[in-house]
Amino acid sequence: MVDNSNGFVKQNKHGEEMKKNNVLLVGESWISHSSHIKGFDHFSTSNYETGHYYLKKALEKNENINLTHLPSHQATEEFPDSLEGLQEYDVIMLSDIGSNSLLLNRKVFVEGEVSPNRLKLISEWVKNGGGFCMAGGYLSFAGFQGAAKYHNTPIETILPVDVYPYDDRVEVPEGVISIIKDPHHQILKGVGGDWPYLLGYQEALLKKEAQLLVESNYGHPLIATMEYGKGRTMAWMSDIGPHWCPKAFAEWEGYEKLWQQAIIWLANK
């Protein structure tokens, strides 16, 4: 095994150097603030949480994948603002983080100065060969009350689905049945049988040039892919963990295989 200083290089069984698939997961963090009222007295508590546990666990089991997590509150200032910065990664995932967090850094929002449009940079990076995935959540696609605001942005252009301009959530507490449409696709290889229930997802319209891999029993896309320029994109319309993606799904062996194969397909090496 041969590693460089970043741990990104290894050898295959023939002794040839191979680069790892470097993944940047952006989002999946939040701060919860609670008020406690106990008779005359009251106090507040706050806690920081992340939602990428199951995805992290799944990807870490594949030695060809290197995952970096950029939490939502850090992404505003630390997400790369150049193509050179993006080129450090093979796959970029946005999960439960609204477009404002990438558009409105301190330079723009506080200092009133121009800054690169990082949604446009992602689009150009994909066109040049990058792999991009958006995973569902209350601040993905259109999002809760439309707050994620990816409709009519460069991100919508590269996605395999059209994003609604309004709240796109489909809450299904009784459970969503996943219907496999393309079992031979690389992402779904060996991920057959009856999938565990999901509890919700985001509704979107499949683009004519996209490929539908999995559909809900309500006729909406759950997994779709598309070629964009030299790059590849994927829409995973549900969450990567609870609540929409419950423990029964996230702990299912198919979850691990699906996400590992999705990263390999998106990286397109």
Side-chain angles (χ1 to χ4, degrees):
M1 184 72 69
V2 178
D3 289 310
N4 66 6
S5 59
N6 293 319
F8 292 164
V9 178
K10 70 182 189 68
Q11 292 181 338
N12 65 14
K13 62 182 180 181
H14 303 295
E16 301 166 330
E17 286 193 356
M18 296 173 59
K19 288 186 177 181
K20 284 191 175 184
N21 298 294
N22 298 313
V23 182
L24 178 64
L25 171 64
V26 187
E28 286 298 334
S29 72
W30 60 94
I31 297 172
S32 299
H33 184 78
S34 301
S35 295
H36 305 257
I37 301 174
K38 299 184 176 183
F40 186 87
D41 299 300
H42 72 277
F43 60 91
S44 298
T45 59
S46 300
N47 62 297
Y48 170 74
E49 301 178 60
T50 61
H52 70 304
Y53 170 79
Y54 291 105
L55 182 70
K56 181 176 182 287
K57 182 179 178 182
L59 297 186
E60 284 181 343
K61 291 184 178 181
N62 189 315
E63 64 176 7
N64 294 323
I65 298 174
N66 182 73
L67 177 67
T68 299
H69 179 220
L70 182 59
S72 302
H73 66 283
Q74 293 178 231
T76 301
E77 298 303 321
E78 297 181 19
F79 187 87
D81 61 1
S82 69
L83 285 176
E84 291 74 20
L86 294 179
Q87 286 166 359
E88 294 183 17
Y89 305 98
D90 300 292
V91 177
I92 293 175
M93 290 183 62
L94 299 185
S95 184
D96 213 355
I97 180 170
S99 60
N100 283 329
S101 291
L102 297 180
L103 291 171
L104 302 177
N105 59 17
R106 178 179 176 84
K107 188 174 182 179
V108 173
F109 189 68
V110 177
E111 300 173 9
E113 298 183 11
V114 298
S115 183
N117 185 322
R118 292 181 286 191
L119 304 186
K120 288 183 178 180
L121 285 176
I122 293 173
S123 176
E124 187 175 351
W125 171 79
V126 170
K127 189 175 181 179
N128 292 335
F132 176 79
C133 174
M134 178 171 283
Y138 273 31
L139 280 172
S140 297
F141 299 100
F144 181 78
Q145 297 180 345
K149 295 185 180 297
Y150 285 103
H151 171 69
N152 201 29
T153 68
I155 296 299
E156 182 181 31
T157 301
I158 64 176
L159 284 171
V161 295
D162 290 322
V163 179
Y164 291 159
Y166 45 80
D167 196 318
D168 57 358
R169 292 171 302 128
V170 181
E171 302 284 359
V172 191
E174 69 274 25
V176 178
I177 297 173
S178 300
I179 301 170
I180 310 301
K181 306 297 289 187
D182 188 358
H184 302 296
H185 194 282
Q186 180 182 336
I187 292 175
L188 299 182
K189 185 178 180 181
V191 192
D194 294 330
W195 289 23
Y197 286 107
L198 295 167
L199 298 178
Y201 58 92
Q202 283 162 298
E203 181 179 344
L205 297 175
L206 187 73
K207 291 179 178 176
K208 62 181 181 180
E209 62 268 37
Q211 187 171 5
L212 180 63
L213 305 191
V214 183
E215 184 178 66
S216 79
N217 55 307
Y218 295 97
H220 302 137
L222 287 179
I223 303 178
T225 61
M226 191 174 75
E227 306 277 344
Y228 184 81
K230 297 179 181 179
R232 292 175 168 181
T233 68
M234 170 178 156
W236 164 251
M237 305 305 298
S238 192
D239 208 338
I240 62 171
H243 81 279
W244 278 349
C245 183
K247 288 180 65 175
F249 194 106
E251 294 176 349
W252 167 55
E253 62 179 9
Y255 176 95
E256 176 183 313
K257 184 175 293 186
L258 185 155
W259 277 109
Q260 290 181 5
Q261 293 176 171
I263 295 302
I264 300 300
W265 182 83
L266 287 166
N268 193 23
K269 289 184 178 178

